[in-house]
Amino acid sequence: MTSGADRSHEEVADLVGKLVAPEETDGAERRRLLGRLSRALSQSARKAGKSGTGRGRWLADVFMNIAPRLPIRDRATLQEHHYGLTGEQLADDLVRTATKATMAVGAVGGALAAAEFAAPPLLLSAPAQLVAETLVVAAIEVKLLAELHEVYGVQIPGNGSQRAAAYTAAWSRQRGINPLAPGSATLALGAAAKTALRNRLMRTLGRHLTTLGPFLTGAVAGGALNRAATKRLAEAVRADLRRQRALPPA
């Protein structure tokens, strides 16, 4: 029998999957999905209890459940979805799409938080919205990191869950993966990697606290900060991957 916690994790993973899907999602649908995700996360946090949510442990556990379910596309599928682009042009287009997505999530989350800032009785629900935004942005960036490895032809060994763990660990470090370097392609998240993941998620959450500004300042700040952070990640990962392997021929 599926427990309530398992059902909650399934719902969270399903909602995040919809928010990071390559299909365009309009603002109204994105707001609706973020609202549903916020409620699901609130329920999950209550079930985890105060001790479970302390110091980011619950947040990291939730994301570790999401990561293996992210829809990572192989190189052929990426080329099909991006009008036949290859090489650096394909990588550029992936980064452009991801920065647009994280900027949109930041703007929507900031607008929701700003609306609640103007209505103090509802402000208590704002943290759940920030957690929702943090998880979605992290998921978009892990997906981007994984797909950049596909574009540059850097193959990560293991099954889907193991590769997801490696990509998640790489996102925590904000670097690309060198499969030949000892310990780089981590196939399971050990204690140190889990700590790094918690720290990265908490830093991302802290960045999203800026969306609690009044009126539309939160929306503007949230979108701009997300876009800049995703772009920095992409630049670091692409630099690492270029050093490892030349792009496959077009």
Side-chain angles (χ1 to χ4, degrees):
M1 181 179 294
T2 305
S3 68
D6 289 337
R7 286 194 297 273
S8 178
H9 284 322
E10 292 282 346
E11 182 182 8
V12 167
D14 179 62
L15 289 168
V16 172
K18 291 178 180 177
L19 281 159
V20 304
E23 295 81 9
E24 288 290 333
T25 303
D26 62 32
E29 177 66 5
R30 195 177 289 115
R31 281 191 293 272
R32 187 184 71 81
L33 290 172
L34 276 172
R36 285 181 58 192
L37 180 58
S38 298
R39 291 190 292 274
L41 288 168
S42 294
Q43 294 172 0
S44 176
R46 282 196 295 270
K47 290 172 184 174
K50 185 175 180 180
S51 60
T53 56
R55 298 182 181 177
R57 289 191 298 271
W58 164 79
L59 185 60
D61 288 342
V62 170
F63 191 75
M64 286 166 58
N65 184 66
I66 292 169
R69 304 164 193 237
L70 293 176
I72 308 301
R73 297 165 291 179
D74 61 21
R75 191 192 307 157
T77 304
L78 287 167
Q79 290 173 357
E80 180 183 350
H81 288 177
H82 289 264
Y83 308 102
L85 293 176
T86 59
E88 294 287 356
Q89 289 182 327
L90 176 56
D92 287 343
D93 211 41
L94 279 179
V95 175
R96 196 159 38 242
T97 301
T99 54
K100 181 180 176 182
T102 58
M103 183 169 63
V105 171
V108 170
L112 288 171
E116 294 196 350
F117 190 91
L122 299 178
L123 187 58
L124 291 176
S125 65
Q129 292 174 2
L130 297 182
V131 171
E133 181 183 347
T134 296
L135 289 173
V136 173
V137 168
I140 292 170
E141 291 185 344
V142 170
K143 176 178 165 63
L144 170 65
L145 183 149
E147 292 181 344
L148 285 174
H149 283 72
E150 288 289 328
V151 172
Y152 285 86
V154 177
Q155 299 299 317
I156 307 304
N159 58 32
S161 296
Q162 291 171 329
R163 288 195 298 272
Y167 293 135
T168 300
W171 176 78
S172 302
R173 300 190 300 268
Q174 301 281 281
R175 302 306 301 261
I177 301 172
N178 181 357
L180 301 180
S184 179
T186 306
L187 297 183
L189 286 177
K194 288 179 181 176
T195 298
L197 174 60
R198 287 199 302 269
N199 291 341
R200 175 59 57 186
L201 286 167
M202 293 304 287
R203 281 196 290 271
T204 305
L205 177 61
R207 185 177 80 227
H208 292 155
L209 287 173
T210 58
T211 64
L212 287 175
F215 305 109
L216 294 179
T217 58
V220 173
L225 289 175
N226 281 352
R227 180 182 182 279
T230 302
K231 189 175 180 180
R232 280 196 305 271
L233 168 69
E235 289 172 349
V237 170
R238 292 176 73 177
D240 286 342
L241 296 177
R242 288 189 191 107
R243 280 192 290 268
Q244 291 180 57
R245 179 174 297 183
L247 278 167

